[in-house]
Amino acid sequence: QVQLVESGGGSVQAGGSLRLSCAASGSTYPKSCYAWFRQAAGSEREGVAAVDSDGAAVYEDSVKGRFTAYIDNAKNTLYLEMNNLTPGDTAIYFCASRGTSYYCGGTLNRNYYLGWGQGTQVTVSS
């Protein structure tokens, strides 16, 4: 069973930056599809970024131009670089994965992913 461990969350002021990491292990599939989600208090979990098999990422509209998602395949680690953070980015951030033998198209549909990390808190103050 895949294990996902996030790190890198914390508290920053508006305009600041953070880099989240998600170390993956235990998958028995030849490849995995990865994505980042977040859940603010009182809100549903929403997709933030997903990376396809070519390394390209798709983003939720509010983070485009500010967040960058990428994978270091040698380390089996997914990253999310977050710049110009705003209080609206405050949430628990989760990484998600799904093992596959096929191409990862990069989807922000949370129902697609079967493995989830425990989450890391990001708090942005104004």
Side-chain angles (χ1 to χ4, degrees):
Q1 184 174 353
V2 66
Q3 290 187 322
L4 303 171
V5 180
E6 300 102 333
S7 60
S11 297
V12 297
Q13 291 189 326
S17 299
L18 285 172
R19 187 178 78 161
L20 306 183
S21 301
C22 173
S25 62
S27 177
T28 59
Y29 287 86
K31 61 177 70 174
S32 294
C33 303
Y34 294 103
W36 287 99
F37 289 77
R38 66 185 179 186
Q39 188 166 16
S43 299
E44 293 190 354
R45 192 169 300 189
E46 64 172 0
V48 176
V51 184
D52 69 20
S53 292
D54 295 322
V58 295
Y59 299 94
E60 189 268 330
D61 286 347
S62 71
V63 308
K64 287 180 181 177
R66 301 187 298 121
F67 289 13
T68 303
Y70 59 97
I71 298 171
D72 184 333
N73 288 306
K75 296 181 179 179
N76 285 334
T77 300
L78 172 71
Y79 297 95
L80 183 68
E81 290 197 356
M82 307 185 293
N83 298 309
N84 195 19
L85 286 160
T86 72
D89 296 316
T90 295
I92 302 174
Y93 283 71
F94 301 88
C95 66
S97 75
R98 178 170 179 151
T100 184
S101 299
Y102 306 104
Y103 182 85
C104 293
T107 177
L108 295 179
N109 180 353
R110 66 183 179 185
N111 294 319
Y112 175 79
Y113 298 94
L114 303 179
W116 293 86
Q118 81 288 353
T120 185
Q121 177 70 47
V122 172
T123 303
V124 185
S125 58
S126 58

